[in-house]
């Protein structure tokens, strides 16, 4: 059975995440994040400014949203307070060398993995210290244009757009 939770004319939804009773969708075309009730209904823009070609989204906690901002080569943190989402800090700066960050995933130990669609790599970000370390070097294992990632135990699965493959990297 197919159920449409919500639609928005002109939107280009590139990332999606569930947080509680809501689905959050990243709209790259309109540089915003839209929230829909899981049960369906109309969408509400929760972040409508300050983004430049957002793509990926993941929640660090119920009140902590992390977004890739491909237009600025950064990963940003937004926090919820009093029902509103506001910018908190930059988790991954452009100076890190990750170009066009697009995919995000939480590691089993609570760090953030970020894929560089333009730099063909994956880095780890410690959300407490903001330390950045390489996880998958540029082009390793044939990685090209990684679009999304997810953890399966100690393995990082990466969707590689150019070679139409899902690659598995053992992080153990």
């Amino acid at each position: 059975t197919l159920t449409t939770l919500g639609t928005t004319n002109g939107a280009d939804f590139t990332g999606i995440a569930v947080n509680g009773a809501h689905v959050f969708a990243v709209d790259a075309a309109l540089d915003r994040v839209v929230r829909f009730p899981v049960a369906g209904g109309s969408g509400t823009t929760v972040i409508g400014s300050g983004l430049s070609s957002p793509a990926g989204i993941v929640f660090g906690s119920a009140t902590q949203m992390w977004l890739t901002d491909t237009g600025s080569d950064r990963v940003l943190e937004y926090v919820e307070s009093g029902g509103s989402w506001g910018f908190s800090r930059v988790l991954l700066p452009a100076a890190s060398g990750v170009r066009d960050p697009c995919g995000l995933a939480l590691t089993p130990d609570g760090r953030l993995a970020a894929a560089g669609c333009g730099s063909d790599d994956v880095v780890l970000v410690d959300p407490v210290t903001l330390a950045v370390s390489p996880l998958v070097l540029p082009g390793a294992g044939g990685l090209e244009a990684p679009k999304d990632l997810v953890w399966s135990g100690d393995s990082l699965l990466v969707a590689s757009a150019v070679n139409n493959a899902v690659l598995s990297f053992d992080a153990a």
Side-chain angles (χ1 to χ4, degrees):
T1 301
L2 173 66
T3 302
T4 300
L5 295 180
T7 61
T8 303
N9 288 336
D12 179 12
F13 292 129
T14 58
I16 191 167
V18 174
N19 186 17
H22 292 97
V23 175
F24 290 74
V26 177
D27 179 0
L30 299 175
D31 293 330
R32 66 185 181 156
V33 176
V34 178
R35 178 183 62 213
F36 297 98
V38 170
S42 58
T44 304
T45 298
V46 295
I47 299 172
S49 64
L51 298 174
S52 177
S53 299
I57 181 172
V58 70
F59 285 89
S61 71
T63 60
Q64 192 175 43
M65 178 192 315
W66 297 331
L67 300 169
T68 61
D69 196 51
T70 61
S72 68
D73 291 331
R74 302 179 302 167
V75 174
L76 308 174
E77 177 182 80
Y78 286 79
V79 295
E80 188 269 334
S81 178
S84 296
W85 289 91
F87 175 77
S88 173
R89 62 186 173 151
V90 174
L91 284 177
L92 180 69
S96 71
V98 176
R99 289 191 342 265
D100 300 332
C102 54
L104 295 174
L106 288 176
T107 66
D109 66 4
R111 291 180 290 169
L112 180 67
C117 290
S119 50
D120 301 328
D121 60 349
V122 179
V123 298
L124 291 175
V125 180
D126 184 312
V128 175
T129 66
L130 301 183
V132 178
S133 56
L135 180 60
V136 179
L137 296 176
L143 184 61
E144 289 187 70
K147 293 294 183 184
D148 207 358
L149 25 129
V150 66
W151 287 90
S152 177
D154 285 336
S155 295
L156 175 66
L157 306 178
V158 183
S160 184
V162 171
N163 52 20
N164 300 318
V166 175
L167 306 172
S168 177
F169 295 92
D170 186 2

